Structures are given as structure tokens and as C-alpha cells.
């Protein structure tokens, strides 16, 4: 049985990926530092759903799934070099999938150091461990934010990505450059995953879909940046996971075995249309508080997924109305109809 390491396993995408890997017959080791950038209770709830007992984790800092699946979780910080080295010495990983990272654009203006610590130093630790322990394939989260403010859409992977407009984007671009260098120097097959605005069940409380739904349901105002003149390539989480799974055994080759792929829905939605979808599921109108553009933010995102389609046959399946309905069902099941 092949074994995969998933970093950021208590996070939104990590939680879904662990489930997909287990379904596909992998043994999985998950790590996460369970930081409080957003509700650690939600991260623990995701772990509980994956069979990790919170009390055991609290006492021992690690736990195996009580569901009888080959899943082990350890509370561990990517930036902790010795702990990462020990993890790789004690386990053999066929696949390493790095999803741990400090996300968010606005937060990077107030807390720049946490981005460098997790996304740059933490990723260097992952690369060093891969250099010494040779997994078959390293996959790592990049982001659509690397495209910055470019007006040429849809975004293609061979487009220039040298003008990030947030520190977050700069750290993601750094990851691509660092992975490229390690692939060249040490022949590590590595694949960067440029995710486009992910939403769905178990989603992140700091992101617009969650903030909008929560506030609209509670009759509270929502903040609408750039007066609603924004668009995003909202991508349902199952489509993101399908894209990642399709790449696991698709090893980059050539003199530098490194590639990057967009994973998105390829159909950007205007923010006001997105808000209408939220109003539809919530069954009430949004109270909109119009605001200026946020520093560090981009006007639109739009993935060209031709490269991924040509490589793996990838095609996104979940349209926005269906995805938002599923997100709503999860939200109400998890939090109830009241405010959070
Ligand atoms: N969700 C999106 O729309 C989106 C879009 C583009 C890129 N990404 C990237 O995909 C990855 C996963 O995103 P997500 O939405 O699941 O975010 P998330 O915040 O839900 O998950 C990331 C997890 O990493 C953990 N983490 C952070 N720093 C860590 C560290 N130093 N050591 C160990 N664990 C650490 C956090 O506790 C969190 O559980 C991130 O790298 C993110 O930047 C996400």
C-alpha cells in the first residue's frame, strides 16, 4: 500500500484530500499545526469527521483513525525543522502533498512574518526532507494569486507571474521557484497546484462564501469590496480534489521534472451574481455594505485548464448553483440556522 503525507490535513482542502486518498487505497499520514488563524474548533471537527479522536490528540499530540482506516494524524509545525526531519526518518512517503500554509490576502498585510514562516521556511523544510528521503512525487499548493493584476484572461500557466500584488502571492510564487530549483538540482519530481477560489462543505470561515452565507442568514451586512466589481473563478472543492487526484501519478519529466497546473472551474462569476446565489439558498436578501478595493486583492480570476485537461482529462463537474446548494446544506447541518 502506498503512503501519502498530507500537510495541512486539518485544513479545508486537506480534509477533503485525505478522504479522497483513503478512498483511493492510500495509507495517509496527516500533519497540521492547528493554528488559530481561523477557528481551531472547525479544524478539530474536520479531524473528528476523519476518525481522529480529539482527546487522544490532545493528550498525545497524535492519533490514528478510529474508523479502522489507514490514517494517522500528528500535530506538527512545518517550520519545525527537527520535527519534520524526524517525521521523514520514521516514515516512508511515496507521495508528499503540501497544503499547509498561511492563506489569506488581507491577513498578510497585518501578519507578514507568519507567511514567510509557514510558506517559505516551512516549504523549505518540506523540500529538504524530500531531497533526503526521495518520495516518488511532491505536489504542493500554489495559488491563482500568482497571476496578479493581469488583464489577459483566461490565465494560462505559461503566462508571466512576476508581479504579485500581495505578500501571500509572493510566497506562493516563491514556492514554485524553490520547487523548480530543487527539481533541477536533485531531480525531485514536483508539481505546483494553482488553485482558484475554492468553496464547498467544511469551507474556510475567512473566505467570502462562508462570510456571506453566515451574515445573510443572520440578517447582518456583508462587506462587498470594489463595489461588487470583482469576479472569481469559484471552484467547488470536489473539482479541486479531482484535479489533484488526477495528477498524483502524472510525474513531470524532462531535464527539470517540475510543472505547474491551474485547477479551476474556468467560468468566472461576477461577485453580485455570486451574492444572488447566496441569497437564493439563504432565502433572504443580502444587506450590502459597499467598500473600496482591498489592498493586495485582484479584480478577477479565470483559469485556463487546457494543460490539466490535456495531461489528465480533467473537467470540472459542479456548477455554481449546485455547489452553493451543497455548501448551504453542509453549513446548516453543521451550524444550524442561527448565527455562528
Ligand atoms: N482555499 C482556496 O481558495 C485556495 C486557493 C489557492 C490556494 N490555496 C492554498 O491551498 C492550501 C490549502 O488551503 P485551504 O483553503 O485548505 O486552507 P486552510 O487554512 O483551511 O488549510 C491550511 C492548513 O494548514 C495549516 N498550517 C498553516 N501553517 C502551518 C504550519 N506552519 N505547519 C503546519 N500546518 C500549518 C493550518 O492550520 C490549516 O489547517 C494553502 O496553501 C492555500 O494557500 C487555497
Amino acid at each position: 500500500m502506498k503512503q501519502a503525507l498530507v500537510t495541512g490535513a486539518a485544513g479545508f482542502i486537506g480534509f477533503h484530500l485525505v478522504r479522497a486518498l483513503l478512498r483511493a487505497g492510500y495509507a495517509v499520514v496527516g500533519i497540521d499545526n492547528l493554528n488559530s488563524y481561523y477557528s481551531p474548533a472547525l479544524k478539530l471537527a474536520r479531524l473528528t469527521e476523519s476518525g481522529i479522536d480529539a482527546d487522544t490528540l490532545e493528550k498525545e499530540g497524535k492519533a490514528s483513525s478510529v474508523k479502522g482506516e489507514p490514517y494517522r494524524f500528528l500535530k506538527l509545525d512545518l517550520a519545525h525543522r527537527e520535527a519534520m526531519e524526524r517525521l521523514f526518518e520514521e516514515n516512508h512517503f511515496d507521495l508528499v502533498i503540501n497544503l499547509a500554509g498561511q492563506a489569506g490576502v488581507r491577513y498578510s498585510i497585518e501578519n507578514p512574518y507568519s507567511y514567510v514562516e509557514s510558506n517559505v521556511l516551512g516549504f523549505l523544510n518540506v523540500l529538504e526532507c524530500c531531497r533526503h528521503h526521495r518520495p516518488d512525487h511532491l505536489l504542493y499548493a500554489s495559488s491563482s494569486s500568482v497571476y496578479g493584476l493581469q488583464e489577459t484572461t483566461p490565465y494560462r500557466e505559461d503566462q508571466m507571474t512576476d508581479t504579485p500584488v500581495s505578500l501571500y502571492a509572493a510566497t506562493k510564487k516563491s514556492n514554485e521557484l524553490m520547487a523548480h530549483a530543487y527539481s533541477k538540482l536533485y531531480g525531485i519530481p514536483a508539481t505546483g497546484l494553482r488553485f482558484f477560489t475554492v468553496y464547498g462543505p467544511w469551507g474556510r470561515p475567512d473566505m467570502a462564501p462562508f462570510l456571506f452565507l453566515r451574515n445573510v442568514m443572520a440578517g447582518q451586512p456583508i462587506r462587498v469590496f470594489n463595489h461588487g466589481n470583482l469576479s472569481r473563478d469559484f471552484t467547488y472543492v470536489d473539482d479541486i480534489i479531482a484535479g489533484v487526484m488526477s495528477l498524483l501519478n502524472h510525474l513531470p519529466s524532462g531535464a527539470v521534472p517540475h510543472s505547474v497546473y491551474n485547477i479551476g472551474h474556468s467560468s468566472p462569476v461576477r461577485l453580485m451574481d455570486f451574492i444572488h446565489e447566496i441569497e437564493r439558498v439563504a432565502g433572504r436578501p443580502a444587506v450590502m455594505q459597499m467598500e473600496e478595493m482591498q489592498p493586495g486583492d485582484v479584480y478577477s480570476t479565470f483559469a485556463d485548464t487546457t494543460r490539466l485537461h490535456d495531461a489528465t482529462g480533467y473537467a470540472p463537474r459542479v456548477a455554481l448553483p449546485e455547489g452553493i446548494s451543497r455548501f448551504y446544506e453542509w453549513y446548516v447541518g453543521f451550524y444550524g440556522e442561527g448565527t455562528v
Side-chain angles (χ1 to χ4, degrees):
M1 184 182 264
K2 291 206 170 189
Q3 179 154 262
L5 171 67
V6 177
T7 77
F12 171 34
I13 301 172
F15 159 75
H16 286 280
L17 184 67
V18 167
R19 300 216 302 193
L21 286 164
L22 291 169
R23 275 197 304 271
Y26 288 88
V28 181
V29 173
I31 64 169
D32 200 298
N33 67 0
L34 302 175
N35 68 49
S36 52
Y37 164 62
Y38 66 77
S39 163
L42 176 58
K43 296 178 183 181
L44 280 173
R46 293 185 187 123
L47 289 176
T48 304
E49 181 76 9
S50 309
I52 300 302
D53 178 57
D55 291 338
T56 312
L57 182 60
E58 167 92 35
K59 276 190 221 116
E60 299 178 17
K62 58 185 177 179
S64 296
S65 171
V66 295
K67 293 182 175 175
E69 291 174 315
Y71 179 40
R72 287 179 292 138
F73 177 84
L74 293 84
K75 184 175 176 189
L76 199 154
D77 196 314
L78 225 55
H80 191 322
R81 183 170 157 188
E82 290 78 25
M84 288 293 286
E85 283 169 358
R86 221 173 306 124
L87 176 74
F88 275 75
E89 271 155 24
E90 290 170 1
N91 297 276
H92 172 74
F93 300 122
D94 301 284
L95 289 175
V96 173
I97 306 157
N98 186 57
L99 301 178
Q102 180 59 59
V105 167
R106 198 176 330 149
Y107 193 73
S108 72
I109 290 166
E110 287 141 30
N111 298 277
Y113 288 95
S114 68
Y115 288 77
V116 173
E117 195 167 303
S118 291
N119 302 4
V120 181
L121 178 60
F123 190 56
L124 177 63
N125 288 338
V126 172
L127 288 171
E128 275 292 302
C129 289
C130 289
R131 169 186 171 191
H132 295 296
H133 297 276
R134 319 291 313 175
D136 295 341
H137 195 184
L138 164 67
L139 300 99
Y140 63 93
S142 179
S143 162
S144 60
S145 65
V146 299
Y147 292 106
L149 290 170
Q150 291 178 72
E151 282 168 13
T152 319
T153 55
Y155 296 147
R156 288 166 48 110
E157 294 88 342
D158 53 10
Q159 215 159 310
M160 190 276 289
T161 51
D162 292 338
T163 52
V165 293
S166 66
L167 180 66
Y168 168 69
T171 62
K172 290 294 173 184
K173 176 67 185 179
S174 306
N175 287 173
E176 296 183 0
L177 299 173
M178 291 161 76
H180 186 277
Y182 267 66
S183 293
K184 164 79 176 145
L185 286 168
Y186 309 114
I188 300 168
T191 299
L193 312 162
R194 291 180 180 168
F195 298 141
F196 283 67
T197 317
V198 191
Y199 74 99
W202 299 95
R204 264 174 39 202
D206 61 319
M207 291 183 68
F210 192 110
L211 293 168
F212 287 177
L213 182 60
R214 182 190 67 189
N215 284 15
V216 172
M217 284 176 63
Q220 299 290 325
I222 57 171
R223 301 176 73 189
V224 181
F225 291 104
N226 202 36
H227 302 270
N229 293 316
L230 298 173
S231 67
R232 289 288 179 273
D233 197 355
F234 289 103
T235 308
Y236 190 67
V237 65
D238 288 3
D239 286 329
I240 292 287
I241 298 302
V244 178
M245 293 299 290
S246 77
L247 284 165
L248 297 181
N249 295 314
H250 192 85
L251 297 188
S253 55
V256 184
H258 175 258
S259 18
V260 293
Y261 290 92
N262 290 337
I263 309 185
H265 192 243
S266 282
S267 102
V269 177
R270 286 180 307 168
L271 192 57
M272 298 311 278
D273 293 336
F274 185 79
I275 292 169
H276 293 325
E277 281 301 319
I278 295 285
E279 291 174 316
R280 176 183 64 78
V281 290
R284 51 192 301 178
V287 181
M288 288 184 246
Q289 185 177 308
M290 295 298 178
E291 299 202 11
E292 298 303 316
M293 185 73 172
Q294 289 192 99
D297 214 350
V298 299
Y299 294 102
S300 68
T301 62
F302 182 178
D304 181 326
T305 53
T306 309
R307 181 182 285 183
L308 183 56
H309 179 267
D310 290 351
T312 71
Y314 169 83
R317 293 182 193 288
V318 183
L320 188 73
E322 171 66 21
I324 291 291
S325 295
R326 290 193 209 169
F327 173 53
Y328 171 79
E329 278 156 31
W330 167 77
Y331 185 94
V332 170
F334 191 74
Y335 290 111
E337 301 270 353
T339 49
V340 182

